């Protein structure tokens, strides 16, 4: 006599506490270009002169004299914003008919957000990896490309760190590179 099999005693059903979605954890745009909340689509912002803040101008003051005085310069620049959008629609009938654990309205919002994050990542990548985007004397053309086995990447990293430290007073401790160069 045959015993009932697993498929005889159980009908597979959708799990109600689990779904599998997608989100790219490798995005860097928000880390590289932190957002600034603004009220207007275009306006101006202030810029302090970097050299004024980084010069060593303090001096010993003799008794009964005033100290060394100085100041700093201030300028402005313009910004303008662009608005990107993506809409994921869900029909009312689909919302009403969806099985648990689906939350189609939340899933549509997450899907639309992911599309916007992809756009942000592409825009950041384009700026990051476009020659001339930086004030730098380091030439990365010809055999100096790090994807070229002849490139002296170590000395270029050291030179880059020294250049950044001389300009900002901070030692660079992060690098951004494409997958081909990293590999």
């Amino acid at each position: 006599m045959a015993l009932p099999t697993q498929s005889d005693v159980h009908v597979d059903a959708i799990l109600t506490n689990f779904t599998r979605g997608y989100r790219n954890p490798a995005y860097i745009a928000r880390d590289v270009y932190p957002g600034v909340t603004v009220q207007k689509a275009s306006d101006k912002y202030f810029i302090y002169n970097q050299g004024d803040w980084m010069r060593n101008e303090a001096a010993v003051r003799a008794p009964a004299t005033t100290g060394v005085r100085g100041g700093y310069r201030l300028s402005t620049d313009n910004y303008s914003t662009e608005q990107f959008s993506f809409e994921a629609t869900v029909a009312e009938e689909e919302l009403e008919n969806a099985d648990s654990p689906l939350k189609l309205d939340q899933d549509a919002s997450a899907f639309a957000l992911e599309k916007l994050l992809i756009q942000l990542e592409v825009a950041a990548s384009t700026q990051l990896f476009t020659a001339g985007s930086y004030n730098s004397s380091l030439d990365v053309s010809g055999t100096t490309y790090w994807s070229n086995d002849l490139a002296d990447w170590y000395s270029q990293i050291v030179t880059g760190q020294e250049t950044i430290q001389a300009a900002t007073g901070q030692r660079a401790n992060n690098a951004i590179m494409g997958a081909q160069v990293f590999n």
Side-chain angles (χ1 to χ4, degrees), residues 2-59:
L3 297 174
T5 66
Q6 182 176 340
S7 61
D8 291 332
V9 298
H10 173 74
V11 176
D12 289 347
I14 297 291
L15 290 174
T16 59
N17 62 348
F18 174 80
T19 60
R20 180 175 168 188
Y22 300 93
R23 174 156 275 166
N24 188 338
Y27 290 154
I28 63 168
R30 289 176 143 177
D31 296 326
V32 176
Y33 298 109
V36 175
T37 302
V38 295
Q39 300 297 316
K40 305 289 182 180
S42 65
D43 235 327
K44 293 181 176 284
Y45 60 93
F46 288 109
I47 302 171
Y48 292 96
N49 181 280
Q50 182 180 15
D52 294 342
W53 288 79
M54 296 189 66
R55 272 192 304 278
N56 178 9
E57 297 178 299

Short mmCIF file of all heavy atoms in Angstrom, two decimals, residues 2-59:
data_model
loop_
_atom_site.label_atom_id
_atom_site.label_comp_id
_atom_site.label_asym_id
_atom_site.label_seq_id
_atom_site.Cartn_x
_atom_site.Cartn_y
_atom_site.Cartn_z
N ALA A 2 0.62 2.20 -0.92
CA ALA A 2 1.44 3.41 -1.07
C ALA A 2 1.01 4.46 -0.05
O ALA A 2 -0.18 4.64 0.21
CB ALA A 2 1.29 3.96 -2.48
N LEU A 3 1.99 5.14 0.50
CA LEU A 3 1.70 6.23 1.44
C LEU A 3 1.52 7.52 0.66
O LEU A 3 2.07 7.69 -0.43
CB LEU A 3 2.86 6.38 2.43
CG LEU A 3 3.12 5.19 3.34
CD1 LEU A 3 4.38 5.42 4.15
CD2 LEU A 3 1.93 4.96 4.26
N PRO A 4 0.76 8.49 1.21
CA PRO A 4 0.62 9.77 0.52
C PRO A 4 1.98 10.46 0.38
O PRO A 4 2.81 10.41 1.28
CB PRO A 4 -0.30 10.58 1.44
CG PRO A 4 -0.97 9.57 2.33
CD PRO A 4 -0.02 8.42 2.42
N THR A 5 2.21 11.12 -0.75
CA THR A 5 3.45 11.85 -0.98
C THR A 5 3.31 13.27 -0.47
O THR A 5 2.21 13.73 -0.13
CB THR A 5 3.78 11.89 -2.48
OG1 THR A 5 2.78 12.65 -3.14
CG2 THR A 5 3.86 10.49 -3.06
N GLN A 6 4.43 13.97 -0.45
CA GLN A 6 4.42 15.37 0.00
C GLN A 6 3.45 16.20 -0.84
O GLN A 6 2.72 17.02 -0.30
CB GLN A 6 5.83 15.96 -0.07
CG GLN A 6 5.90 17.38 0.44
CD GLN A 6 7.33 17.92 0.46
OE1 GLN A 6 8.28 17.18 0.46
NE2 GLN A 6 7.44 19.22 0.49
N SER A 7 3.44 16.00 -2.15
CA SER A 7 2.54 16.78 -3.00
C SER A 7 1.09 16.39 -2.81
O SER A 7 0.19 17.17 -3.13
CB SER A 7 2.95 16.65 -4.47
OG SER A 7 2.86 15.29 -4.87
N ASP A 8 0.81 15.23 -2.26
CA ASP A 8 -0.56 14.83 -1.96
C ASP A 8 -1.10 15.55 -0.72
O ASP A 8 -2.30 15.82 -0.63
CB ASP A 8 -0.66 13.31 -1.71
CG ASP A 8 -0.41 12.49 -2.96
OD1 ASP A 8 -0.69 13.01 -4.07
OD2 ASP A 8 0.06 11.34 -2.83
N VAL A 9 -0.23 15.87 0.21
CA VAL A 9 -0.69 16.43 1.47
C VAL A 9 -0.46 17.94 1.60
O VAL A 9 -0.89 18.55 2.58
CB VAL A 9 -0.02 15.72 2.67
CG1 VAL A 9 -0.38 14.25 2.70
CG2 VAL A 9 1.48 15.93 2.65
N HIS A 10 0.21 18.52 0.58
CA HIS A 10 0.50 19.97 0.67
C HIS A 10 0.42 20.59 -0.72
O HIS A 10 0.98 20.05 -1.67
CB HIS A 10 1.89 20.20 1.26
CG HIS A 10 2.32 21.64 1.22
ND1 HIS A 10 1.81 22.57 2.08
CD2 HIS A 10 3.19 22.29 0.41
CE1 HIS A 10 2.36 23.76 1.81
NE2 HIS A 10 3.21 23.60 0.79
N VAL A 11 -0.24 21.73 -0.81
CA VAL A 11 -0.28 22.51 -2.04
C VAL A 11 0.58 23.75 -1.81
O VAL A 11 0.34 24.50 -0.85
CB VAL A 11 -1.73 22.92 -2.41
CG1 VAL A 11 -1.73 23.80 -3.63
CG2 VAL A 11 -2.59 21.68 -2.61
N ASP A 12 1.61 23.94 -2.66
CA ASP A 12 2.50 25.09 -2.50
C ASP A 12 1.71 26.39 -2.57
O ASP A 12 0.83 26.56 -3.42
CB ASP A 12 3.57 25.10 -3.60
CG ASP A 12 4.61 24.00 -3.40
OD1 ASP A 12 4.64 23.40 -2.30
OD2 ASP A 12 5.38 23.74 -4.34
N ALA A 13 2.03 27.31 -1.68
CA ALA A 13 1.38 28.62 -1.64
C ALA A 13 2.46 29.70 -1.54
O ALA A 13 3.62 29.41 -1.22
CB ALA A 13 0.44 28.70 -0.45
N ILE A 14 2.08 30.91 -1.77
CA ILE A 14 2.99 32.05 -1.67
C ILE A 14 3.32 32.29 -0.21
O ILE A 14 2.43 32.33 0.65
CB ILE A 14 2.36 33.32 -2.29
CG1 ILE A 14 2.09 33.13 -3.78
CG2 ILE A 14 3.21 34.54 -2.03
CD1 ILE A 14 3.35 33.07 -4.62
N LEU A 15 4.60 32.50 0.08
CA LEU A 15 4.99 32.91 1.44
C LEU A 15 4.40 34.28 1.72
O LEU A 15 4.40 35.16 0.85
CB LEU A 15 6.51 32.96 1.57
CG LEU A 15 7.26 31.63 1.55
CD1 LEU A 15 8.77 31.88 1.55
CD2 LEU A 15 6.86 30.79 2.74
N THR A 16 3.93 34.48 2.92
CA THR A 16 3.32 35.77 3.26
C THR A 16 4.25 36.69 4.03
O THR A 16 3.88 37.81 4.35
CB THR A 16 2.03 35.55 4.08
OG1 THR A 16 2.38 34.83 5.27
CG2 THR A 16 0.99 34.80 3.28
N ASN A 17 5.46 36.25 4.30
CA ASN A 17 6.39 37.09 5.06
C ASN A 17 7.72 37.28 4.33
O ASN A 17 8.72 37.61 4.94
CB ASN A 17 6.64 36.47 6.44
CG ASN A 17 7.29 35.10 6.35
OD1 ASN A 17 7.35 34.51 5.28
ND2 ASN A 17 7.76 34.59 7.48
N PHE A 18 7.71 37.06 3.00
CA PHE A 18 8.98 37.15 2.28
C PHE A 18 8.72 37.49 0.82
O PHE A 18 7.83 36.94 0.20
CB PHE A 18 9.73 35.81 2.37
CG PHE A 18 10.99 35.77 1.53
CD1 PHE A 18 12.15 36.35 1.98
CD2 PHE A 18 10.98 35.17 0.27
CE1 PHE A 18 13.31 36.31 1.21
CE2 PHE A 18 12.12 35.14 -0.51
CZ PHE A 18 13.30 35.72 -0.03
N THR A 19 9.49 38.43 0.30
CA THR A 19 9.58 38.68 -1.13
C THR A 19 11.04 38.89 -1.45
O THR A 19 11.85 39.21 -0.57
CB THR A 19 8.78 39.92 -1.60
OG1 THR A 19 9.30 41.07 -0.94
CG2 THR A 19 7.30 39.76 -1.34
N ARG A 20 11.40 38.75 -2.70
CA ARG A 20 12.79 38.96 -3.10
C ARG A 20 12.81 40.11 -4.09
O ARG A 20 12.19 40.05 -5.14
CB ARG A 20 13.35 37.70 -3.76
CG ARG A 20 14.78 37.85 -4.19
CD ARG A 20 15.30 36.56 -4.72
NE ARG A 20 16.57 36.80 -5.39
CZ ARG A 20 17.21 35.90 -6.09
NH1 ARG A 20 16.71 34.70 -6.23
NH2 ARG A 20 18.35 36.20 -6.66
N GLY A 21 13.50 41.18 -3.72
CA GLY A 21 13.60 42.36 -4.58
C GLY A 21 15.04 42.66 -4.90
O GLY A 21 15.94 41.87 -4.60
N TYR A 22 15.25 43.81 -5.51
CA TYR A 22 16.58 44.18 -5.96
C TYR A 22 16.89 45.61 -5.57
O TYR A 22 16.07 46.50 -5.74
CB TYR A 22 16.70 44.03 -7.48
CG TYR A 22 16.44 42.61 -7.92
CD1 TYR A 22 15.18 42.21 -8.29
CD2 TYR A 22 17.48 41.68 -7.91
CE1 TYR A 22 14.94 40.90 -8.67
CE2 TYR A 22 17.24 40.37 -8.29
CZ TYR A 22 15.97 39.99 -8.67
OH TYR A 22 15.75 38.70 -9.03
N ARG A 23 18.08 45.82 -5.06
CA ARG A 23 18.60 47.16 -4.81
C ARG A 23 20.10 47.06 -4.89
O ARG A 23 20.70 46.17 -4.30
CB ARG A 23 18.17 47.67 -3.44
CG ARG A 23 18.85 49.01 -3.14
CD ARG A 23 18.14 49.84 -2.17
NE ARG A 23 17.15 50.59 -2.90
CZ ARG A 23 16.17 51.24 -2.33
NH1 ARG A 23 16.04 51.20 -1.04
NH2 ARG A 23 15.33 51.94 -3.04
N ASN A 24 20.69 47.96 -5.62
CA ASN A 24 22.14 47.92 -5.82
C ASN A 24 22.84 48.54 -4.61
O ASN A 24 22.76 49.75 -4.40
CB ASN A 24 22.50 48.68 -7.10
CG ASN A 24 23.95 48.51 -7.47
OD1 ASN A 24 24.78 48.19 -6.62
ND2 ASN A 24 24.27 48.73 -8.72
N PRO A 25 23.57 47.74 -3.83
CA PRO A 25 24.25 48.30 -2.65
C PRO A 25 25.56 49.01 -2.99
O PRO A 25 26.19 49.58 -2.11
CB PRO A 25 24.53 47.04 -1.81
CG PRO A 25 24.70 45.95 -2.83
CD PRO A 25 23.74 46.30 -3.95
N ALA A 26 25.95 48.98 -4.26
CA ALA A 26 27.24 49.55 -4.64
C ALA A 26 27.15 51.00 -5.11
O ALA A 26 28.14 51.56 -5.55
CB ALA A 26 27.88 48.69 -5.74
N TYR A 27 25.98 51.62 -5.02
CA TYR A 27 25.87 53.02 -5.44
C TYR A 27 26.77 53.90 -4.57
O TYR A 27 26.87 53.71 -3.37
CB TYR A 27 24.44 53.52 -5.29
CG TYR A 27 23.45 52.93 -6.26
CD1 TYR A 27 22.10 52.86 -5.93
CD2 TYR A 27 23.83 52.45 -7.51
CE1 TYR A 27 21.17 52.35 -6.81
CE2 TYR A 27 22.90 51.92 -8.38
CZ TYR A 27 21.57 51.87 -8.03
OH TYR A 27 20.66 51.37 -8.90
N ILE A 28 27.42 54.88 -5.20
CA ILE A 28 28.32 55.77 -4.46
C ILE A 28 27.97 57.25 -4.64
O ILE A 28 28.54 58.10 -3.98
CB ILE A 28 29.79 55.55 -4.85
CG1 ILE A 28 30.03 55.90 -6.33
CG2 ILE A 28 30.23 54.13 -4.53
CD1 ILE A 28 31.48 55.99 -6.71
N ALA A 29 27.06 57.57 -5.54
CA ALA A 29 26.79 58.97 -5.87
C ALA A 29 26.45 59.81 -4.64
O ALA A 29 26.95 60.92 -4.48
CB ALA A 29 25.67 59.08 -6.90
N ARG A 30 25.63 59.29 -3.75
CA ARG A 30 25.24 60.06 -2.57
C ARG A 30 26.40 60.24 -1.59
O ARG A 30 26.41 61.18 -0.81
CB ARG A 30 24.06 59.40 -1.88
CG ARG A 30 22.78 59.55 -2.67
CD ARG A 30 21.67 58.80 -2.01
NE ARG A 30 20.43 59.53 -2.14
CZ ARG A 30 19.27 59.08 -1.71
NH1 ARG A 30 19.21 57.92 -1.08
NH2 ARG A 30 18.18 59.78 -1.88
N ASP A 31 27.37 59.32 -1.62
CA ASP A 31 28.55 59.47 -0.77
C ASP A 31 29.52 60.49 -1.36
O ASP A 31 30.15 61.26 -0.63
CB ASP A 31 29.27 58.13 -0.60
CG ASP A 31 28.42 57.11 0.13
OD1 ASP A 31 27.65 57.51 1.02
OD2 ASP A 31 28.52 55.92 -0.20
N VAL A 32 29.67 60.45 -2.69
CA VAL A 32 30.61 61.34 -3.36
C VAL A 32 30.05 62.76 -3.47
O VAL A 32 30.77 63.74 -3.30
CB VAL A 32 30.96 60.80 -4.76
CG1 VAL A 32 31.87 61.74 -5.51
CG2 VAL A 32 31.61 59.43 -4.64
N TYR A 33 28.77 62.86 -3.75
CA TYR A 33 28.09 64.15 -3.90
C TYR A 33 26.93 64.23 -2.92
O TYR A 33 25.78 64.01 -3.28
CB TYR A 33 27.55 64.32 -5.33
CG TYR A 33 28.61 64.32 -6.40
CD1 TYR A 33 28.75 63.25 -7.28
CD2 TYR A 33 29.47 65.40 -6.55
CE1 TYR A 33 29.71 63.25 -8.27
CE2 TYR A 33 30.43 65.40 -7.54
CZ TYR A 33 30.54 64.33 -8.40
OH TYR A 33 31.50 64.35 -9.37
N PRO A 34 27.22 64.53 -1.67
CA PRO A 34 26.12 64.63 -0.70
C PRO A 34 25.13 65.71 -1.13
O PRO A 34 25.52 66.75 -1.64
CB PRO A 34 26.80 65.02 0.61
CG PRO A 34 28.25 64.86 0.38
CD PRO A 34 28.50 64.84 -1.08
N GLY A 35 23.87 65.46 -0.95
CA GLY A 35 22.83 66.40 -1.37
C GLY A 35 22.76 67.63 -0.49
O GLY A 35 23.11 67.60 0.69
N VAL A 36 22.32 68.70 -1.08
CA VAL A 36 22.07 69.95 -0.36
C VAL A 36 20.63 70.34 -0.66
O VAL A 36 20.24 70.44 -1.82
CB VAL A 36 23.02 71.08 -0.82
CG1 VAL A 36 22.67 72.39 -0.15
CG2 VAL A 36 24.46 70.70 -0.55
N THR A 37 19.82 70.52 0.36
CA THR A 37 18.44 70.92 0.17
C THR A 37 18.39 72.42 -0.12
O THR A 37 19.00 73.21 0.60
CB THR A 37 17.61 70.61 1.43
OG1 THR A 37 17.71 69.21 1.69
CG2 THR A 37 16.16 70.99 1.24
N VAL A 38 17.71 72.78 -1.19
CA VAL A 38 17.58 74.18 -1.57
C VAL A 38 16.10 74.52 -1.74
O VAL A 38 15.27 73.64 -1.95
CB VAL A 38 18.35 74.50 -2.88
CG1 VAL A 38 19.84 74.32 -2.67
CG2 VAL A 38 17.87 73.63 -4.02
N GLN A 39 15.79 75.81 -1.62
CA GLN A 39 14.41 76.25 -1.76
C GLN A 39 14.06 76.67 -3.18
O GLN A 39 12.91 76.63 -3.58
CB GLN A 39 14.16 77.44 -0.81
CG GLN A 39 14.38 77.11 0.65
CD GLN A 39 13.42 76.04 1.14
OE1 GLN A 39 12.24 76.07 0.85
NE2 GLN A 39 13.95 75.06 1.87
N LYS A 40 15.05 77.08 -3.94
CA LYS A 40 14.82 77.61 -5.28
C LYS A 40 15.52 76.75 -6.32
O LYS A 40 16.53 76.14 -6.05
CB LYS A 40 15.34 79.06 -5.40
CG LYS A 40 14.80 80.01 -4.35
CD LYS A 40 13.35 80.30 -4.62
CE LYS A 40 12.83 81.31 -3.60
NZ LYS A 40 11.46 81.63 -3.79
N ALA A 41 14.98 76.75 -7.54
CA ALA A 41 15.56 75.96 -8.63
C ALA A 41 16.90 76.51 -9.09
O ALA A 41 17.72 75.80 -9.66
CB ALA A 41 14.60 75.89 -9.81
N SER A 42 17.14 77.79 -8.84
CA SER A 42 18.44 78.39 -9.14
C SER A 42 18.67 79.52 -8.16
O SER A 42 17.73 80.13 -7.67
CB SER A 42 18.49 78.91 -10.58
OG SER A 42 17.58 79.96 -10.76
N ASP A 43 19.92 79.76 -7.87
CA ASP A 43 20.27 80.82 -6.93
C ASP A 43 21.79 80.95 -6.90
O ASP A 43 22.49 80.43 -7.77
CB ASP A 43 19.75 80.50 -5.52
CG ASP A 43 18.86 81.62 -4.96
OD1 ASP A 43 19.13 82.79 -5.28
OD2 ASP A 43 17.93 81.30 -4.22
N LYS A 44 22.31 81.57 -5.86
CA LYS A 44 23.75 81.74 -5.66
C LYS A 44 24.15 81.13 -4.32
O LYS A 44 23.31 80.90 -3.46
CB LYS A 44 24.12 83.23 -5.67
CG LYS A 44 23.93 83.92 -7.00
CD LYS A 44 24.36 85.38 -6.90
CE LYS A 44 24.28 86.06 -8.22
NZ LYS A 44 25.36 85.73 -9.13
N TYR A 45 25.44 80.89 -4.17
CA TYR A 45 25.98 80.45 -2.89
C TYR A 45 27.32 81.13 -2.67
O TYR A 45 27.96 81.59 -3.61
CB TYR A 45 26.10 78.92 -2.82
CG TYR A 45 26.99 78.30 -3.87
CD1 TYR A 45 28.34 78.06 -3.63
CD2 TYR A 45 26.48 77.95 -5.12
CE1 TYR A 45 29.16 77.50 -4.59
CE2 TYR A 45 27.29 77.37 -6.09
CZ TYR A 45 28.61 77.15 -5.82
OH TYR A 45 29.41 76.59 -6.77
N PHE A 46 27.72 81.21 -1.41
CA PHE A 46 28.97 81.87 -1.04
C PHE A 46 30.15 80.89 -1.12
O PHE A 46 30.00 79.70 -0.84
CB PHE A 46 28.91 82.43 0.38
CG PHE A 46 28.03 83.63 0.49
CD1 PHE A 46 26.81 83.55 1.16
CD2 PHE A 46 28.40 84.85 -0.07
CE1 PHE A 46 25.99 84.66 1.27
CE2 PHE A 46 27.58 85.96 0.04
CZ PHE A 46 26.38 85.86 0.70
N ILE A 47 31.31 81.43 -1.46
CA ILE A 47 32.55 80.66 -1.50
C ILE A 47 33.63 81.46 -0.76
O ILE A 47 33.89 82.62 -1.10
CB ILE A 47 33.04 80.43 -2.95
CG1 ILE A 47 31.97 79.71 -3.76
CG2 ILE A 47 34.35 79.65 -2.95
CD1 ILE A 47 32.29 79.65 -5.24
N TYR A 48 34.20 80.86 0.26
CA TYR A 48 35.34 81.47 0.93
C TYR A 48 36.59 81.15 0.15
O TYR A 48 36.74 80.06 -0.39
CB TYR A 48 35.49 80.93 2.36
CG TYR A 48 34.36 81.35 3.27
CD1 TYR A 48 33.27 80.52 3.50
CD2 TYR A 48 34.40 82.59 3.90
CE1 TYR A 48 32.24 80.91 4.33
CE2 TYR A 48 33.36 82.99 4.73
CZ TYR A 48 32.29 82.14 4.95
OH TYR A 48 31.27 82.53 5.77
N ASN A 49 37.53 82.08 0.10
CA ASN A 49 38.78 81.86 -0.61
C ASN A 49 39.63 80.87 0.18
O ASN A 49 40.00 81.14 1.33
CB ASN A 49 39.52 83.19 -0.81
CG ASN A 49 40.81 82.99 -1.56
OD1 ASN A 49 41.81 82.57 -0.99
ND2 ASN A 49 40.78 83.29 -2.85
N GLN A 50 39.95 79.74 -0.42
CA GLN A 50 40.66 78.67 0.27
C GLN A 50 42.04 79.11 0.75
O GLN A 50 42.44 78.83 1.87
CB GLN A 50 40.78 77.46 -0.64
CG GLN A 50 41.47 76.28 0.01
CD GLN A 50 41.59 75.09 -0.92
OE1 GLN A 50 41.42 75.20 -2.12
NE2 GLN A 50 41.91 73.95 -0.36
N GLY A 51 42.75 79.83 -0.09
CA GLY A 51 44.10 80.26 0.27
C GLY A 51 44.12 81.15 1.50
O GLY A 51 45.03 81.07 2.33
N ASP A 52 43.10 82.00 1.63
CA ASP A 52 43.02 82.89 2.79
C ASP A 52 42.94 82.09 4.09
O ASP A 52 43.47 82.49 5.11
CB ASP A 52 41.81 83.82 2.69
CG ASP A 52 41.92 84.80 1.54
OD1 ASP A 52 43.04 85.02 1.02
OD2 ASP A 52 40.88 85.35 1.13
N TRP A 53 42.25 80.99 4.05
CA TRP A 53 42.03 80.18 5.25
C TRP A 53 43.19 79.25 5.56
O TRP A 53 43.31 78.75 6.68
CB TRP A 53 40.74 79.36 5.09
CG TRP A 53 39.52 80.21 5.18
CD1 TRP A 53 39.00 80.99 4.19
CD2 TRP A 53 38.71 80.41 6.31
NE1 TRP A 53 37.90 81.65 4.65
CE2 TRP A 53 37.69 81.31 5.96
CE3 TRP A 53 38.73 79.91 7.62
CZ2 TRP A 53 36.70 81.72 6.84
CZ3 TRP A 53 37.73 80.32 8.49
CH2 TRP A 53 36.74 81.21 8.10
N MET A 54 44.06 79.00 4.60
CA MET A 54 45.10 78.00 4.80
C MET A 54 46.49 78.60 5.00
O MET A 54 47.45 77.86 5.19
CB MET A 54 45.10 77.02 3.63
CG MET A 54 43.80 76.22 3.56
SD MET A 54 43.86 74.92 2.37
CE MET A 54 45.09 73.85 3.09
N ARG A 55 46.64 79.90 4.91
CA ARG A 55 47.95 80.52 5.10
C ARG A 55 48.29 80.63 6.58
O ARG A 55 47.44 80.93 7.41
CB ARG A 55 47.95 81.94 4.49
CG ARG A 55 48.32 81.99 3.05
CD ARG A 55 48.58 83.41 2.59
NE ARG A 55 47.45 84.30 2.83
CZ ARG A 55 46.39 84.41 2.04
NH1 ARG A 55 46.31 83.68 0.95
NH2 ARG A 55 45.42 85.24 2.33
N ASN A 56 49.56 80.45 6.89
CA ASN A 56 50.06 80.64 8.25
C ASN A 56 50.43 82.11 8.39
O ASN A 56 51.48 82.54 7.91
CB ASN A 56 51.28 79.75 8.49
CG ASN A 56 51.86 79.94 9.87
OD1 ASN A 56 51.27 80.61 10.72
ND2 ASN A 56 53.02 79.37 10.10
N GLU A 57 49.59 82.89 9.04
CA GLU A 57 49.83 84.33 9.15
C GLU A 57 49.96 84.81 10.59
O GLU A 57 50.25 85.97 10.83
CB GLU A 57 48.69 85.10 8.47
CG GLU A 57 48.59 84.81 6.99
CD GLU A 57 47.43 85.52 6.33
OE1 GLU A 57 46.27 85.27 6.73
OE2 GLU A 57 47.68 86.33 5.42
N ALA A 58 49.74 83.94 11.54
CA ALA A 58 49.85 84.35 12.93
C ALA A 58 51.32 84.60 13.28
O ALA A 58 52.21 83.97 12.71
CB ALA A 58 49.27 83.27 13.84
N ALA A 59 51.55 85.53 14.18
CA ALA A 59 52.93 85.87 14.56
C ALA A 59 52.97 86.20 16.05
O ALA A 59 51.95 86.49 16.67
CB ALA A 59 53.40 87.07 13.73
#
